[in-house]
């Protein structure tokens, strides 16, 4: 038999972080999760699977647009026409969604109860599906203890939405251990909630398929579901089904060897070209660029961060205007150690270096700087309040980072300008 195990679909969840690219196609971004789910149903039909299994978070929180539910029912209707049943377990996002309580589902769709564990039998396949949906979004009890013993003569699949052993990237809902899952005696555990693909082998095969579509830069790389093929001996083979329609990337660019801003732009351009060359042509890329390294151009970057960002946006538009978008440009460089060379100069730049070195340990200067900066940020326009990373620290009375970063950048910039 064959079945598809999917989870964390988050239908109509918005993709975030592309506001930096004003020309990004809004409609393509808005419908990404729908198109990924349509691709999943296409795969189910093409693969002629025996059933589709969704291990939680079909919907996205308290989203109340019933067009989302209508879209889902339409896709279920496609599967009904080819006799593919669908089994849905509700996760933490589904528990707070109105559609899970009021939407009438097609008769090829079966759900797992929340009050107790439900077992769905598929006699002709000799399959038993055991699962318990979330009643409340913040379900922190161990649900595994309520799952029954394996059904004799059946291929037993446990369906569970869980953080497992406290996955740090996700709320610790329905926590349990890998040992508890293996001890249950099931053949396969179809998990959801953790958005990264992972497989744990042992007495049972334990799988997180990951989410169908990355929604922000922290969900980068290929996304999809898992096709599970089980032979007559109960042994299974896993195959990832990649169905995402927009892919997130983090591009780390080392500019250690760069001397001027133009070198940085050329280096970024080469890496963008390489990314486009190695990415599937039909999947657009949303990219966060991190400029890293100890470099002679550090001072220039500090003074020209906005110009660099503009030039990178122009590069992306020239490289692939239809499917390459820049989510953010981050500058994480540091200066080369020129302190000794500067001290030998005996000029105003060397004097400035000495003054700035001493400033960090001068309480009177630091207090005066805090007062001046607070006066500045209270008058700053709203767009700066959210875009300048230093502001939050300054409000908290911490100017250590701005001193540490401005000092070498300012000295390097003035030395270069001279």
């Amino acid at each position: 038999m064959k079945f598809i195990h999917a989870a964390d679909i988050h239908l109509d969840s918005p993709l975030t972080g592309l506001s930096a690219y004003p020309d990004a196609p809004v409609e393509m971004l808005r419908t990404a999760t729908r198109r990924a789910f349509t691709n999943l149903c296409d795969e189910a039909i093409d693969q002629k699977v025996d059933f589709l299994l969704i291990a939680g978070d079909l919907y996205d929180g308290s989203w109340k647009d019933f067009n989302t539910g209508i879209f889902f029912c339409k896709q279920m209707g496609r599967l009904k026409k080819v006799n593919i049943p669908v089994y849905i377990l509700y996760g933490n996002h589904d528990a707070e969604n109105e559609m899970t309580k009021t939407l009438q589902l097609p008769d090829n769709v079966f759900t797992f109860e929340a009050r107790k564990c439900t077992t769905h039998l598929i006699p002709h396949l000799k399959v038993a599906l055991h699962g318990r949906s979330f009643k409340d979004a913040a379900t922190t009890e161990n649900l595994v203890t309520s799952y029954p013993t394996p059904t004799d003569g059946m291929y037993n699949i446990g369906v569970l939405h869980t953080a497992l052993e406290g996955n740090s990237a996700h709320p610790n809902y329905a926590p349990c251990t890998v040992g508890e899952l293996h001890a249950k005696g099931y053949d396969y555990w179809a998990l959801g909630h953790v958005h990264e693909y992972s497989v744990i082998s042992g007495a049972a095969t334990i799988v997180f398929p990951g989410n169908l579509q990355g929604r922000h830069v922290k969900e980068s790389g290929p996304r999809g579901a898992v096709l599970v093929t089980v032979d007559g001996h109960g042994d299974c083979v896993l195959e990832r089904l990649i169905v995402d329609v927009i892919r997130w990337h983090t591009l780390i660019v080392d500019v250690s060897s760069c001397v001027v801003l133009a070198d940085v732009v050329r280096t970024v351009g080469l890496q963008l070209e390489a990314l486009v060359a190695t990415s599937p042509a039909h999947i657009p890329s949303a990219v966060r660029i991190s400029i890293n390294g100890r470099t002679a151009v550090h001072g220039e970057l500090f003074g020209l961060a906005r110009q660099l960002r503009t030039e990178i946006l122009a590069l992306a538009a020239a490289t692939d205007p239809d499917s390459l978008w820049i989510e953010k440009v981050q500058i994480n460089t540091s200066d080369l150690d020129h302190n000794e060379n500067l001290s030998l100069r005996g000029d105003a730049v060397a004097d400035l270096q000495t003054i700035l070195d001493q400033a960090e340990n001068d309480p009177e200067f630091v207090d005066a700087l805090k007062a001046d900066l607070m006066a500045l940020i209270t008058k700053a326009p709203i767009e700066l309040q959210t875009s300048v990373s230093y502001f939050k620290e300054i409000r908290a009375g911490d100017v250590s980072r701005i001193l540490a970063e401005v000092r070498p950048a300012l000295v390097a910039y003035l030395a270069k300008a001279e």
Side-chain angles (χ1 to χ4, degrees):
M1 67 161 181
K2 290 193 296 185
F3 67 92
I4 289 177
H5 166 202
D8 302 289
I9 293 159
H10 294 280
L11 275 179
D12 284 347
S13 175
L15 272 61
T16 58
L18 286 174
S19 58
Y21 205 100
D23 297 325
V26 175
E27 184 64 17
M28 181 181 289
L29 299 175
R30 189 183 68 81
T31 61
T33 54
R34 288 194 183 195
R35 289 183 291 124
F37 188 65
T38 299
N39 287 347
L40 178 73
C41 293
D42 290 344
E43 288 280 3
I45 294 168
D46 293 343
Q47 296 283 350
K48 296 182 171 61
V49 299
D50 293 292
F51 58 92
L52 169 63
L53 186 57
I54 299 174
D57 285 358
L58 168 62
Y59 300 117
D60 191 55
S62 57
W63 188 257
K64 294 182 173 64
D65 186 351
F66 276 84
N67 287 318
T68 306
I70 293 168
F71 165 79
F72 173 72
C73 288
K74 180 179 179 180
Q75 297 304 314
M76 295 301 95
R78 293 178 60 210
L79 298 183
K80 180 179 178 180
K81 286 182 179 179
V82 292
N83 299 312
I84 296 178
V86 181
Y87 297 88
I88 301 175
L89 180 137
Y90 292 133
N92 55 293
H93 280 273
D94 302 311
E96 57 185 357
N97 193 286
E98 291 297 321
M99 281 177 288
T100 61
K101 303 168 186 174
T102 58
L103 190 67
Q104 185 67 41
L105 297 172
D107 60 10
N108 66 319
V109 179
F110 305 90
T111 61
F112 295 90
E113 293 184 36
R115 293 180 296 106
K116 61 180 181 178
C117 187
T118 307
T119 297
H120 291 292
L121 298 178
I122 312 177
H124 71 284
L125 296 176
K126 295 184 178 180
V127 168
L129 299 166
H130 313 282
R132 183 176 171 185
S133 293
F134 278 30
K135 180 181 179 182
D136 303 304
T139 296
T140 56
E141 64 177 297
N142 185 341
L143 299 180
V144 173
T145 58
S146 67
Y147 281 50
T149 56
T151 302
D152 290 339
M154 295 281 191
Y155 187 83
N156 288 268
I157 300 174
V159 190
L160 179 65
H161 199 75
T162 176
L164 202 51
E165 296 177 333
N167 188 288
S168 60
H170 300 272
N172 194 24
Y173 295 152
C176 58
T177 67
V178 170
E180 287 175 310
L181 297 186
H182 285 313
K184 208 70 189 181
Y186 294 172
D187 300 283
Y188 183 97
W189 278 98
L191 305 185
H193 187 51
V194 175
H195 287 191
E196 299 299 324
Y197 171 70
S198 66
V199 178
I200 303 169
S201 300
T205 301
I206 303 170
V207 179
F208 282 108
N211 55 345
L212 288 194
Q213 171 60 57
R215 299 171 300 158
H216 46 73
V217 73
K218 292 183 180 179
E219 296 178 348
S220 59
R223 300 278 152 171
V226 177
L227 176 67
V228 185
T229 303
V230 184
D231 66 18
H233 302 289
D235 296 323
C236 71
V237 175
L238 308 178
E239 177 187 345
R240 284 196 79 187
L241 299 175
I242 304 304
V243 300
D244 56 349
V245 296
I246 295 172
R247 193 160 298 166
W248 298 83
H249 305 268
T250 297
L251 202 60
I252 298 175
V253 182
D254 184 359
V255 296
S256 300
S257 61
C258 296
V259 178
V260 295
L261 183 66
D263 295 339
V264 176
V265 175
R266 274 194 296 274
T267 303
V268 172
L270 290 172
Q271 293 211 25
L272 284 176
E273 289 175 3
L275 175 64
V276 170
T278 56
S279 298
H282 64 288
I283 301 180
S285 297
V287 186
R288 174 175 291 185
I289 296 175
S290 178
I291 310 293
N292 292 10
R294 296 180 67 239
T295 173
V297 78
H298 173 69
E300 192 172 354
L301 288 175
F302 185 89
L304 297 175
R306 179 172 292 185
Q307 179 181 331
L308 177 64
R309 176 181 171 276
T310 301
E311 295 206 29
I312 289 174
L313 290 176
L315 270 178
T319 303
D320 193 339
D322 297 321
S323 58
L324 181 61
W325 308 309
I326 305 303
E327 182 259 357
K328 185 181 287 186
V329 177
Q330 294 179 326
I331 298 177
N332 301 310
T333 56
S334 58
D335 189 35
L336 294 172
D337 190 6
H338 288 156
N339 286 0
E340 289 186 11
N341 292 335
L342 286 169
S343 64
L344 295 174
R345 290 172 57 128
D347 60 7
V349 173
D351 291 342
L352 177 63
Q353 168 74 28
T354 301
I355 291 168
L356 290 175
D357 283 343
Q358 295 170 349
E360 291 182 61
N361 300 313
D362 183 341
E364 189 174 325
F365 170 80
V366 170
D367 288 342
L369 179 63
K370 289 178 185 178
D372 289 344
L373 290 175
M374 277 299 295
L376 175 67
I377 67 174
T378 54
K379 298 174 183 177
I382 187 66
E383 58 267 22
L384 288 181
Q385 298 287 347
T386 55
S387 64
V388 178
S389 61
Y390 298 109
F391 279 18
K392 185 176 180 180
E393 296 167 24
I394 293 169
R395 287 195 191 91
D398 182 5
V399 295
S400 58
R401 184 167 72 96
I402 194 169
L403 270 172
E405 293 186 12
V406 168
R407 177 171 52 80
L410 179 59
V411 172
Y413 185 72
L414 290 176
K416 194 177 189 68
E418 186 188 56

